């Protein structure tokens, strides 16, 4: 599998405003941290709540400790009583490839795979099932030969060494 692309967005709150717009390329949530409140040198991570826990009728003001994700925004709880700097870590969508010079935003090792798959779909659109089957076979063969991201991490050998130390007696 291809690892999803991660991105970071930094936003500021204003007093009394509890909604933060999500980036246009937002696909999924990783974490939301309040950089204005530090815990051991990093921002305090906010808890994710379900929407039904966010009682807007009795929302107090204070330092945000939780958020809920809605369609295109986050809602903070409690409502910020001041300006806070928030860092959003999220999965970013693959951008649309509109121009002929555009390139996909993933590791180059996947390029032959998506080319084979695209060729298979093009053959199907031209009503050529034999050509599509050949390209689909190429795709499956290539993708089966590529180690997954997890396998690649397990193959990493840097930092794995043992040093024998002799005692001089």
């Amino acid at each position: 599998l291809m690892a999803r692309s991660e991105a970071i967005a930094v936003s500021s709150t204003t007093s009394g405003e509890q909604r933060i717009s999500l980036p246009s390329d937002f696909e999924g949530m990783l974490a939301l941290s309040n950089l204005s409140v530090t815990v051991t040198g990093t921002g305090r991570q906010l808890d994710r709540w379900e929407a039904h826990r966010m009682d807007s009728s009795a929302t107090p003001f204070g330092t945000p400790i939780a958020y809920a994700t809605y369609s295109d925004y986050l809602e903070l709880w409690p409502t910020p009583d001041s300006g806070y700097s928030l860092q959003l870590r999220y999965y970013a969508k693959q951008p649309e490839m509109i121009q002929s010079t555009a390139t996909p935003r993933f590791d180059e090792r996947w390029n032959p795979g998506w080319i084979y798959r695209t060729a298979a779909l093009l053959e199907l659109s031209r009503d050529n099932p034999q050509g599509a089957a050949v390209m689909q076979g190429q795709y499956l063969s290539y993708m089966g030969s590529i180690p997954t991201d997890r396998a690649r991490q397990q193959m990493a050998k840097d930092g794995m060494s043992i040093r024998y130390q002799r005692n001089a007696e």
Side-chain angles (χ1 to χ4, degrees):
L1 286 173
M2 181 183 74
R4 291 162 52 175
S5 182
E6 294 183 14
I8 293 177
V10 177
S11 181
S12 297
T13 66
T14 56
S15 180
E17 182 56 48
Q18 66 189 66
R19 290 186 179 178
I20 302 289
S21 295
L22 292 170
S24 59
D25 64 344
F26 178 86
E27 183 174 28
M29 190 70 160
L30 286 171
L32 180 65
S33 298
N34 185 345
L35 301 177
S36 302
V37 178
T38 59
V39 178
T40 64
T42 62
R44 182 193 185 285
Q45 189 165 329
L46 280 68
D47 295 325
R48 183 180 185 133
W49 283 2
E50 296 300 318
H52 69 275
R53 290 187 65 191
M54 309 291 276
D55 183 8
S56 59
S57 64
T59 304
F61 286 87
T63 302
I65 60 168
Y67 68 92
T69 307
Y70 291 94
S71 63
D72 61 346
Y73 66 93
L74 298 173
E75 190 166 310
L76 304 172
W77 190 92
T79 300
D81 61 352
S82 181
Y84 295 98
S85 181
L86 303 177
Q87 177 180 289
L88 170 66
R89 288 185 48 243
Y90 65 98
Y91 290 119
K93 292 179 188 172
Q94 174 71 29
E96 289 187 29
M97 294 174 44
I98 298 170
Q99 298 178 347
S100 62
T101 57
T103 56
R105 188 178 62 198
F106 50 77
D107 194 285
E108 293 83 17
R109 67 188 161 120
W110 301 105
N111 286 352
W114 77 265
I115 290 171
Y116 291 139
R117 182 66 178 138
T118 302
L121 294 172
L122 288 172
E123 291 295 336
L124 282 175
S125 74
R126 295 185 342 194
D127 201 23
N128 181 3
Q130 292 85 12
V134 169
M135 289 294 103
Q136 182 68 11
Q138 291 280 26
Y139 167 76
L140 292 172
S141 174
Y142 181 78
M143 295 305 282
S145 71
I146 299 294
T148 63
D149 290 338
R150 185 177 176 100
R152 283 176 48 118
Q153 289 172 346
Q154 291 173 344
M155 290 188 310
K157 299 208 184 312
D158 355 347
M160 297 178 66
S161 61
I162 298 176
R163 192 166 79 190
Y164 178 73
Q165 189 172 18
R166 291 185 176 181
N167 290 337
E169 292 183 24

